[in-house]
């Protein structure tokens, strides 16, 4: 099945890219291009781009699949002497193993701003503050947002940005609604960053 697809893809690649190759090599002896040649070249380039994206996506998908399927090594406990009953436990004993992607010490997972953008159900655009317009203040405001299990903004923290612009950004983002982030069939809290751009 994949062999048939690859032959079909190679044939369509050759069919659409042939006019471009002929033109580049000066096959017809003239440089002018007709509408049909230009159309063939455009379609051929689209086919090339689609094949490159398809191949890159499938190779990345296989790489991710291999990583998720392979079992992770589990640490084996080393034999230790049993502590005496009078000994006090050390506060820096062994830290709990960290879960990949989770914020340490919480049941909250970090997600990229792109993933969070895809989960937005309701978005309120910020209003450009009048003071910022008058004083020609522009720039980006970067916020750290915590999305609760219901998809509401539970907490916002200013990471970077002008205070005048930040006030407007926080007021707008607090009203955003997300679809809950689902992990293993269960809704969990998520932490992400939100970038609001203010440009005149």
């Amino acid at each position: 099945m994949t062999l048939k697809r690859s032959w079909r893809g190679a044939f369509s690649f050759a069919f659409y890219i042939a006019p471009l190759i002929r033109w580049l090599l000066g096959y017809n002896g003239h440089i002018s291009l007709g509408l049909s040649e230009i159309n063939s070249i455009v379609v051929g380039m689209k086919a090339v781009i689609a094949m490159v994206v398809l191949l890159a996506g499938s190779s990345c998908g296989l790489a991710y699949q291999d990583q998720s399927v392979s079992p992770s090594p589990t640490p084996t406990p080393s034999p230790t002497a049993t502590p005496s009953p009078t000994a006090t436990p050390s506060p820096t004993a062994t830290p709990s193993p960290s879960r990949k992607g989770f914020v340490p010490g919480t049941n909250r997972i970090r997600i990229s701003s792109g993933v969070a953008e895809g989960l937005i159900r309701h978005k309120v655009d910020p209003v450009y503050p009048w003071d910022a317009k008058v004083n020609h203040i522009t720039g980006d405001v970067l916020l750290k947002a915590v999305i609760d299990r219901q998809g509401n903004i539970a907490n916002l923290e200013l990471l970077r940005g002008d205070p005048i612009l930040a006030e407007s950004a926080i007021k707008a983002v607090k009203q955003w609604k997300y679809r809950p982030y689902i992990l293993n069939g269960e809704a969990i809290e998520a932490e992400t960053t939100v970038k609001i751009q203010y440009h005149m």
Side-chain angles (χ1 to χ4, degrees):
M1 185 166 112
T2 56
L3 185 61
K4 185 185 279 186
R5 281 189 200 158
S6 64
W7 278 108
R8 187 180 304 147
F11 175 73
S12 60
F13 170 77
F15 178 76
Y16 288 119
I17 205 69
L20 175 63
I21 294 170
R22 280 197 314 256
W23 177 74
L24 289 173
L25 296 176
Y27 178 75
N28 291 330
H30 57 82
I31 297 180
S32 65
L33 289 175
L35 188 58
S36 64
E37 284 98 1
I38 292 173
N39 189 26
S40 294
I41 290 170
V42 169
V43 170
M45 297 312 281
K46 286 181 181 178
V48 169
I49 292 170
M51 287 177 57
V52 167
V53 169
L54 181 66
L55 290 174
S58 66
S59 66
C60 289
L62 292 175
Y64 289 131
Q65 182 180 7
D66 290 341
Q67 289 175 358
S68 64
V69 171
S70 64
S72 60
T74 56
T76 56
S78 60
T80 58
T82 57
S84 66
T86 58
T88 58
S90 141
T92 59
T94 56
S96 63
S98 65
R99 298 174 298 168
K100 188 174 182 179
F102 280 82
V103 177
T106 67
N107 282 337
R108 187 181 320 142
I109 192 164
R110 281 194 184 109
I111 59 174
S112 70
S113 57
V115 170
E117 184 80 23
L119 295 174
I120 293 178
R121 288 187 307 152
H122 176 72
K123 186 174 187 177
V124 175
D125 292 328
V127 176
Y128 208 118
W130 182 80
D131 293 343
K133 282 184 180 180
V134 169
N135 294 318
H136 302 286
I137 299 172
T138 61
D140 298 337
V141 174
L142 189 64
L143 303 170
K144 179 171 73 171
V146 175
I147 305 165
D148 67 14
R149 293 177 182 190
Q150 290 75 35
N152 300 314
I153 298 291
N155 188 21
L156 276 177
E157 179 183 328
L158 175 64
L159 298 177
R160 182 179 69 225
D162 186 273
I164 296 174
L165 300 175
E167 184 180 336
S168 168
I170 290 171
K171 185 177 179 180
V173 174
K174 277 184 179 179
Q175 300 176 58
W176 291 9
K177 302 293 181 199
Y178 291 84
R179 288 192 320 267
Y181 187 82
I182 306 296
L183 182 67
N184 298 329
E186 186 178 332
I188 63 168
E189 283 190 342
E191 181 179 295
T192 189
T193 56
V194 176
K195 183 178 180 181
I196 305 292
Q197 298 177 333
Y198 290 91
H199 298 287
M200 292 183 170

